[in-house]
Amino acid sequence: MTAFKVGDQVTIHNSQTGPEKAAVVEAFTEGNRCMVLSDGSKWRADGQRQWRVGSGYYKGPVVERTRPGDLDIVTRRRAIGVIRKFAQDLNMDSPLDAAALKRIVDRIQEEQAAAPKDDGAA
């Protein structure tokens, strides 16, 4: 018997960085021993390790039920990755014109101004 069922919202957690990816349980195979997620990954039905990892010792990500706050962390992590990739590839030969870049900068400044201020108190 598995703790998960088809349609469950789950989060793939890394022991060091927390929630990494959100998915939905799509199916069970291998006599309900293998769980298939919406991202195409396969996990043991208990979510403790990926299906057919090949090693007897496994210290990798695990699948858990999505908890409050998990989706915010995953969304933030993905957005930061996209922004970093965009900025890393940005140079004078980039296809965006000055007006588009100015709109991006304006929006960043608006969001920074609206963000809660860190007063330095710990």
Side-chain angles (χ1 to χ4, degrees):
M1 184 78 180
T2 177
F4 301 101
K5 63 183 184 297
V6 172
D8 281 352
Q9 175 78 40
V10 296
T11 308
I12 299 170
H13 283 256
N14 183 300
S15 61
Q16 295 187 7
T17 59
E20 290 186 338
K21 187 186 297 187
V24 175
V25 177
E26 286 195 339
F28 288 92
T29 61
E30 309 291 331
N32 287 337
R33 293 179 298 138
C34 176
M35 177 171 52
V36 181
L37 301 183
S38 57
D39 67 355
S41 63
K42 295 180 179 180
W43 297 80
R44 281 189 351 193
D46 63 4
Q48 293 304 300
R49 69 174 173 181
Q50 288 189 295
W51 188 254
R52 302 221 192 275
V53 162
S55 172
Y57 178 74
Y58 183 79
K59 187 175 171 85
V62 296
V63 174
E64 297 179 3
R65 289 191 187 289
T66 299
R67 297 183 295 227
D70 282 358
L71 296 180
D72 288 339
I73 293 169
V74 169
T75 300
R76 185 178 178 146
R77 175 172 278 132
R78 298 289 173 220
I80 289 169
V82 168
I83 293 167
R84 283 182 174 165
K85 174 77 171 119
F86 171 77
Q88 179 181 341
D89 294 342
L90 194 60
N91 59 47
M92 290 303 287
D93 296 327
S94 297
L96 295 176
D97 63 17
L101 293 170
K102 178 71 172 114
R103 285 192 302 273
I104 294 168
V105 169
D106 289 346
R107 186 56 195 251
I108 289 170
Q109 290 172 340
E110 288 171 19
E111 292 296 332
Q112 287 176 326
K117 303 294 183 247
D118 182 10
D119 62 6

